[in-house]
Amino acid sequence: MTTLLIAAIGYLLGSVPFGYLLVRIFRGEDVRQSGSGNIGATNVSRKSPALGLITLLLDALKGSAAVLVALALSRQEFLRWSYANVPWYPDHPSTIPLSPIVETRLAIAALFAILGHMFPVWLKFRGGKGVATGLGSFLLIAPKAVLLAASVFVVVVLIFRYISLGSIIAVALFPVFALTMHECENLSTLAFLALTSLLIIAKHHENIRRLLAHTESRFQWSRR
């Protein structure tokens, strides 16, 4: 029951269409009718860079919020783990992994927050691609892996100047980084993270087709 509640709350939090709401409130327009038709930060920034940045932050925060809710609803399991990890606890080992149940619940919260962002019920299931929401949720689950993935994103964008390519490669490598950095050794948790990454990549199917056809737009540095 707790896991189902976490999934439901995660979806509802993820389904809040911040990009759509911000453009509707401050510009009086429907962001879905311009650019890529996406409600994410990249498309919103085509209307207003400031609104795009706010959308990025809010979309990331709703992913983090979903994971924090899952942690709060797993309070008993988490407290047992925390008590065993304080340095002055007798027989304190060097490292104790987070409870597999809690780990899995956090990954499920991330998955459903991203599903909510991708398929918001309020907008007839037409949402964003989930990168920012994934960033916010993954950051609380495997922060070192996120930093590595973000570094890969920056390097790819600087070299090839494709935001979509950087996002795809970074998201694809995230589960690998989480495993190699020992931030996710529970197989069920890793499976949920891998599934989430695959969904984000699948949402970039149009970008992938344009990349293969060499018609994808390159990132341009603004010049004054």
Side-chain angles (χ1 to χ4, degrees), residues 15-162:
S15 69
V16 179
F18 287 116
Y20 170 82
L21 292 173
L22 288 170
V23 174
R24 176 65 78 183
I25 293 169
F26 292 101
R27 301 295 297 269
E29 301 175 23
D30 187 342
V31 71
R32 298 172 299 173
Q33 303 302 318
S34 64
S36 64
N38 196 279
I39 64 169
T42 301
N43 198 38
V44 172
S45 66
R46 296 186 178 106
K47 288 288 184 183
S48 165
L51 292 180
L53 178 59
I54 296 171
T55 299
L56 175 67
L57 293 174
L58 291 176
D59 282 348
L61 283 173
K62 68 185 184 183
S64 298
V67 173
L68 288 173
V69 168
L71 195 57
L73 291 176
S74 304
R75 183 173 178 273
Q76 293 302 322
E77 295 89 344
F78 179 71
L79 286 177
R80 282 196 293 269
W81 172 83
S82 299
Y83 187 54
N85 272 275
V86 294
W88 53 85
Y89 186 76
D91 302 321
H92 173 69
S94 57
T95 58
I96 299 177
L98 192 61
S99 164
I101 295 175
V102 178
E103 263 193 5
T104 303
R105 286 176 179 172
L106 300 187
I108 289 172
L111 170 61
F112 277 86
I114 292 165
L115 284 172
H117 179 77
M118 291 177 173
F119 309 105
V121 64
W122 326 111
L123 299 180
K124 298 181 179 179
F125 304 102
R126 182 184 173 189
K129 295 175 182 176
V131 176
T133 306
L135 172 66
S137 57
F138 291 159
L139 190 60
L140 296 184
I141 297 173
K144 294 177 185 177
V146 167
L147 289 176
L148 285 175
S151 300
V152 169
F153 170 82
V154 171
V155 170
V156 171
V157 172
L158 288 176
I159 293 174
F160 299 102
R161 292 193 291 119
Y162 288 122

Side-chain angles (χ1 to χ4, degrees), residues 129-201:
K129 295 175 182 176
V131 176
T133 306
L135 172 66
S137 57
F138 291 159
L139 190 60
L140 296 184
I141 297 173
K144 294 177 185 177
V146 167
L147 289 176
L148 285 175
S151 300
V152 169
F153 170 82
V154 171
V155 170
V156 171
V157 172
L158 288 176
I159 293 174
F160 299 102
R161 292 193 291 119
Y162 288 122
I163 296 290
S164 58
L165 182 63
S167 299
I168 291 166
I169 293 176
V171 169
L173 290 175
F174 170 73
V176 178
F177 290 150
L179 181 63
T180 55
M181 296 298 292
H182 305 289
E183 292 185 296
C184 178
E185 297 181 330
N186 177 26
L187 289 180
S188 62
T189 305
L190 186 62
F192 278 113
L193 293 181
L195 175 59
T196 303
S197 294
L198 285 174
L199 285 171
I200 295 174
I201 293 170

